[in-house]
Amino acid sequence: RQYYPLPADNLTQGIEITAQGEELYLVVATTPSARFTGNEQYDYQYKIEQVTAKSVYLMAGQSNMEGHVDLTLLNGMLEDLSSSPSNEVETKLIERLSHWYQTYDEGYAQYAASDMVNRFEAQQMQRLYQMGLVSDKLTQPLDTILCSINEKVVLPLQANCGFAFGPELGLGHYLALNDGNTTSLIKMAYGGTNLHTDWLSPSAVTGNKQVGSLFNNLSDKIDSLKTQPESIHPDCLTVTCQWDAFIWFQGEADSDSAFGAQNYEQNLRHFIADVRQRAERSNLPIVLVEIGYWAKEDLEYGKQVAAAQQKIASEDPHIKLVTTDDLSRFFHFDSAAQLIIGERIGVALKELS
């Protein structure tokens, strides 16, 4: 509900208000006051005009939303794509990925090595390069797309909105390539966090549980579009902005817990409903990024969490699921995988629009 005072001292003076919602109701009411003497009966006119709102995007999750990638791998792949003969590019990319998995983190990443995945990611990187989404421009600020993570200020998007980046880098360049409008990608991401406690939303609270501190942080960020619009995008000070979609990339922490997995479906349903209520859009488009191969295969309850994500997405036409189990098998998705996931999120958003 929004309340606006009428200019009672000059009833001929008009007022202009802006409201957002799927259904809008205008109610004009007065209370007894000496100021209205002689105006016990009056007429009024109103006009409702649809205003195109500027779209901004909210993203949240745990460490893969933060992004824990190796910029050395990204820079090497960009070099392969730009300087290798066309008939050698795929081989170069595969060799670079294979070497990375054998040596990264003193060889720890070897457990996730897969020739099949390396070949697939190499082919996908070639495809993204050919369509103009992947190039050296990834390392330069993208002025039309702003990004922030947690409490940091919004800045032009580059490999700086995470550690060093997550899916927002590929998503932002997809939006710039296919949409062309200026926008912001606002991330709230904290590694190792779960849905059953950290992100627990109000309608999911039972017994002696409390609303998760990270849900409170997320709520504050949603509200800031009204209270501090410039913190979301400078244009939001002068034009109407709205949350156009919410992207959720989380589930690994709950896949390692029987309690978390057993309650994941119910908690996620409540979480989505509460995010939509806070954003004042009952059908806010949602993109769920499914947990990947590592979480499904190596964590005891991963398949149960993935099944919950799949079920929720299948039952709501305003939710799209982005699959990831054909990509990196490392617990943190590699640089190529994050770019591919970002593009997939962009495609999902386009299908939801």
Side-chain angles (χ1 to χ4, degrees):
R1 296 177 182 176
Q2 300 178 36
Y3 296 93
Y4 299 90
L6 289 168
D9 295 331
N10 184 3
L11 291 176
T12 62
Q13 177 184 340
I15 62 172
E16 181 177 322
I17 63 174
T18 301
Q20 180 178 309
E22 293 167 11
E23 294 185 7
L24 300 178
Y25 298 87
L26 174 65
V27 178
V28 179
T30 62
T31 55
S33 170
R35 292 181 299 168
F36 286 93
T37 302
N39 293 292
E40 287 79 4
Q41 294 182 343
Y42 59 90
D43 295 323
Y44 63 89
Q45 296 178 332
Y46 68 91
K47 180 172 64 174
I48 297 177
E49 295 180 321
Q50 184 174 354
V51 177
T52 301
K54 182 182 188 67
S55 298
V56 290
Y57 299 90
L58 185 64
M59 310 174 75
Q62 56 180 108
S63 58
N64 276 311
M65 178 59 90
E66 284 179 310
H68 287 258
V69 301
D70 180 10
L71 283 179
T72 302
L73 174 60
L74 172 65
N75 292 332
M77 298 185 81
L78 292 177
E79 182 181 350
D80 293 336
L81 286 162
S82 63
S83 62
S84 301
S86 58
N87 61 337
E88 297 179 12
V89 173
E90 183 175 322
T91 300
K92 291 280 190 181
L93 292 172
I94 292 172
E95 289 175 350
R96 190 173 294 278
L97 282 163
S98 298
H99 177 74
W100 188 85
Y101 276 97
Q102 293 302 317
T103 60
Y104 183 67
D105 199 8
E106 300 180 345
Y108 176 67
Q110 289 180 18
Y111 80 86
S114 166
D115 291 341
M116 180 180 68
V117 172
N118 290 345
R119 181 173 298 279
F120 179 72
E121 288 193 1
Q123 293 169 346
Q124 292 299 301
M125 286 293 283
Q126 283 184 280
R127 180 181 63 82
L128 296 179
Y129 181 77
Q130 291 164 359
M131 66 184 283
L133 194 150
V134 165
S135 71
D136 290 342
K137 66 185 180 182
L138 291 176
T139 63
Q140 303 299 319
L142 182 60
D143 292 336
T144 58
I145 309 292
L146 304 184
C147 187
S148 72
I149 179 168
N150 300 337
E151 300 311 314
K152 293 185 177 180
V153 299
V154 287
L155 294 170
L157 177 68
Q158 56 180 322
N160 64 350
C161 206
F163 306 111
F165 65 87
E168 77 287 341
L169 188 60
L171 170 59
H173 281 267
Y174 176 90
L175 293 174
L177 196 64
N178 291 274
D179 183 36
N181 294 322
T182 59
T183 189
S184 289
L185 306 176
I186 306 299
K187 289 203 324 183
M188 301 290 290
Y190 304 88
T193 54
N194 60 60
L195 183 59
H196 65 75
T197 300
D198 301 313
W199 296 94
L200 192 68
S201 68
S203 64
V205 172
T206 58
N208 60 356
K209 298 282 285 183
Q210 295 182 338
V211 174
S213 61
L214 296 186
F215 186 86
N216 287 330
N217 291 352
L218 183 65
S219 297
D220 291 342
K221 186 64 71 174
I222 293 172
D223 293 348
S224 67
L225 187 57
K226 290 183 177 180
T227 60
Q228 294 179 295
E230 71 280 5
S231 70
I232 304 301
H233 195 287
D235 290 353
C236 296
L237 270 175
T238 55
V239 302
T240 300
C241 294
Q242 73 170 8
W243 295 115
D244 207 56
F246 175 62
I247 299 105
W248 178 242
F249 195 174
Q250 189 276 341
E252 294 88 348
D254 294 271
S255 299
D256 204 26
S257 156
F259 177 78
Q262 289 165 5
N263 292 280
Y264 195 82
E265 181 184 336
Q266 177 179 331
N267 287 338
L268 186 56
R269 289 186 188 280
H270 285 292
F271 180 79
I272 290 171
D274 289 341
V275 167
R276 283 171 163 167
Q277 182 180 36
R278 197 80 187 194
E280 299 180 349
R281 292 192 64 189
S282 61
N283 290 322
L284 178 72
I286 307 285
V287 175
L288 300 179
V289 183
E290 188 180 16
I291 57 173
Y293 181 94
W294 170 77
K296 287 183 182 179
E297 299 299 326
D298 289 8
L299 299 182
E300 186 172 359
Y301 306 101
K303 287 184 172 65
Q304 187 174 352
V305 168
Q309 293 173 330
Q310 293 162 8
K311 183 178 180 183
I312 289 173
S314 69
E315 294 174 353
D316 188 328
H318 304 288
I319 298 178
K320 284 287 184 181
L321 184 76
V322 167
T323 58
T324 62
D325 53 5
D326 56 347
L327 301 173
S328 173
R329 296 180 178 181
F330 196 46
F331 74 105
H332 285 146
F333 288 99
D334 62 44
S335 303
Q338 284 283 17
L339 292 171
I340 296 164
I341 291 169
E343 187 224 8
R344 291 178 178 180
I345 294 172
V347 172
L349 290 173
K350 187 175 181 179
E351 292 173 350
L352 285 167
S353 63

